């Protein structure tokens, strides 16, 4: 699979639910299945502002997916509506063959069609393949977050 013209990008459909869930679980393994299902239902009910696409091979295999959204802020773009890459995943055997790029191009076309001037995205520190792929696609680093958490005493239930 190395011919980009053979990669078919289409909006995710109800027939893709199982495979989409499998790919989502590979991307976000810490997310409970129930939460995945809720988010999938939410996305399918809001295609305008939460579009999602799958990349399909000529023999009908799903190679990856991309979920986007409208956010009202992105680091580096300021407080304005932007397209945002929420979930970007290509199955390992299809990586480095242009599938991810075609998915992102689709999301960028959608953002242009919505009149947005920027597309934002993020990844976790240490995800170097994602970092390098973003850079290769023309995304510049716009900031880094540090997350904190503190375990607090819980009230004993009466
Ligand atoms: C990130 C990911 C979606 C990229 O998908 P992909 O199909 O391999 O991407 P492509 O083949 O279209 O590559 C797009 C560009 O990024 C570059 N790239 C992709 N992976 C790379 C890597 N590991 N190191 C360096 N560059 C890389 C490619 O060379 C290409 O640039 P080029 O066209 O100038 O050569 C895929 O690696 C993946 O699913 N990773 C695991 C999940 C993940 O981290 N998702 C992103 C979370 S934000």
């Amino acid at each position: 699979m190395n011919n980009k013209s053979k990669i078919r990008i289409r909006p995710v459909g109800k027939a893709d639910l199982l495979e989409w869930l499998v790919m989502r679980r590979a991307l976000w393994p810490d997310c409970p299945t129930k939460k995945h299902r809720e988010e999938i239902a939410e996305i399918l009910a809001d295609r305008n502002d939460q579009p999602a696409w799958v990349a399909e091979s000529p023999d009908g295999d799903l190679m990856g997916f991309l979920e986007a959204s409208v956010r009202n802020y992105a680091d580096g773009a300021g407080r304005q509506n932007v397209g945002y890459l929420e979930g970007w995943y290509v199955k390992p055997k299809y990586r480095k063959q242009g599938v991810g790029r075609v998915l992102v191009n689709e999301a960028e076309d959608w953002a242009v069609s919505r009149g947005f001037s920027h597309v934002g995205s993020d990844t976790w520190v240490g995800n170097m393949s994602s970092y390098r792929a973003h850079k290769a696609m023309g995304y510049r680093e716009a900031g880094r977050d540090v997350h904190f958490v503190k375990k607090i005493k819980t009230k004993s239930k009466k």
Side-chain angles (χ1 to χ4, degrees), residues 88-90 95-98 100-101 122 127 129-130 132-133 136:
W88 184 30
Y89 177 81
V90 172
R95 285 182 194 162
K96 298 257 193 96
Q97 298 164 55
R101 180 177 283 278
D122 58 64
N127 187 355
S129 60
S130 166
R132 292 188 184 116

Side-chain angles (χ1 to χ4, degrees), residues 7-21:
I7 304 167
R8 183 176 169 229
I9 305 296
R10 58 172 178 76
V12 70
K14 289 209 169 124
D16 306 315
L17 285 187
L18 197 58
E19 192 69 7
W20 185 17
L21 177 63

Side-chain angles (χ1 to χ4, degrees), residues 57-128:
S57 73
D59 56 7
D61 193 19
L62 294 193
M63 300 184 283
F65 75 93
L66 193 149
E67 295 172 12
S69 75
V70 180
R71 289 199 187 186
N72 60 13
Y73 174 86
D75 281 344
R79 197 151 289 285
Q80 60 169 321
N81 280 358
V82 297
Y84 205 89
L85 309 182
E86 299 289 352
W88 184 30
Y89 177 81
V90 172
K91 288 180 184 169
K93 70 173 174 176
Y94 293 117
R95 285 182 194 162
K96 298 257 193 96
Q97 298 164 55
V99 179
R101 180 177 283 278
V102 184
L103 281 163
V104 170
N105 287 344
E106 187 75 20
E108 290 174 354
D109 287 349
W110 161 78
V112 168
S113 78
R114 291 292 305 261
F116 304 146
S117 61
H118 290 77
V119 172
S121 184
D122 58 64
T123 193
W124 52 96
V125 174
N127 187 355
M128 287 316 292

